[in-house]
Amino acid sequence: MLLLAVDTATPAVTVALHDGTATVAESSQVDARRHGELLLPAVDRVLAEAGLALDAVTGIVVGIGPGPYTGLRVGLMTADTFGLALDVPVHGVCTLDGLAYAAEGIEGPFVVATDARRKEVYWARYADPRTRVTEAAVDRPADIAEAVAGLPAVGAGALLYPETFTDPRGPQHVSAAALAALAAEKLAAGEELPEPRPLYLRRPDAQVPKNYKVVTPK
């Protein structure tokens, strides 16, 4: 097994290779505006570090969000393209699950929260690093304060709103290494992974104006 994992659902552009047992190579850069520029060079860099060619990959893992439309689609389209070109399966993993899986030293219930912009967070509750107990959602922090009160919180969203998330923990952004390790664990156990389809949870920022006038040729 050799999994190539990518995620662009958060400001981190993250790539990793995983052989089913351990991470072979990884790269992460935080830049919310350059997902499209940074992703493919990161893939090349990780393959070069591992001394492997792209055709050695036996499966693709991609973070499916939730995340902003523009960034999220970069990773998903790249994963789909690699899957088609290499004729290998493409597995989706919830980005929040990857963050939860990477959380260290948290034994009891906790929350994962990432920045959803518009003064909102993408979030979910977890019983432990491998078990999500709520669906991923997008909300204003003040609206979920009661639901997350007193719980440790992982992710950059928790740091942005300390009045709601009173016990922030690391990591801030998802790593492709964690996504790949979680996917490898689930695949080895015979579990099904989600389809590589985006969890947008809301409409994109760019929309056609309501009073848009359609001009047709005469």
Side-chain angles (χ1 to χ4, degrees):
M1 175 188 292
L2 185 65
L3 300 175
L4 172 65
V6 302
D7 193 293
T8 58
T10 74
V13 179
T14 179
V15 178
L17 284 172
H18 196 283
D19 65 7
T21 302
T23 300
V24 178
E26 62 179 308
S27 170
S28 291
Q29 298 169 271
V30 177
D31 191 327
R33 298 181 180 275
R34 299 177 63 212
H35 293 91
E37 294 177 49
L38 297 176
L39 183 57
L40 290 180
V43 171
D44 288 340
R45 187 164 54 252
V46 165
L47 288 168
E49 180 181 334
L52 296 168
L54 184 60
D55 59 10
V57 170
T58 61
I60 310 295
V61 176
V62 60
I64 60 174
Y69 177 82
T70 303
L72 183 54
R73 65 179 179 175
V74 172
L76 285 161
M77 291 302 297
T78 300
D80 281 344
T81 300
F82 282 154
L84 288 171
L86 299 172
D87 193 24
V88 298
V90 181
H91 308 288
V93 176
C94 175
T95 298
L96 300 180
D97 291 354
L99 265 164
Y101 188 79
E104 297 181 358
I106 303 179
E107 297 180 357
F110 66 97
V111 179
V112 173
T114 61
D115 183 16
R117 305 173 187 173
R118 304 184 192 175
K119 298 182 180 180
E120 294 178 329
V121 292
Y122 298 116
W123 72 285
R125 285 185 57 161
Y126 290 78
D128 57 59
R130 292 169 177 78
T131 310
R132 176 158 44 91
V133 295
T134 65
E135 293 296 323
V138 58
D139 289 290
R140 289 183 176 272
D143 294 339
I144 60 172
E146 185 175 343
V148 305
L151 295 176
V154 173
L159 294 175
L160 288 172
Y161 302 100
E163 67 281 3
T164 295
F165 303 100
T166 56
D167 186 10
R169 310 280 184 93
Q172 292 187 43
H173 303 298
V174 71
S175 74
L179 284 180
L182 177 58
E185 183 179 297
K186 288 180 175 292
L187 290 171
E191 297 182 36
E192 290 189 10
L193 293 172
E195 291 292 318
R197 299 292 175 262
L199 285 173
Y200 289 131
L201 299 188
R202 68 185 184 199
R203 295 181 180 275
D205 292 328
Q207 298 183 38
V208 176
K210 292 182 179 179
N211 297 322
Y212 180 76
K213 183 178 180 181
V214 178
V215 179
T216 57
K218 295 181 179 180

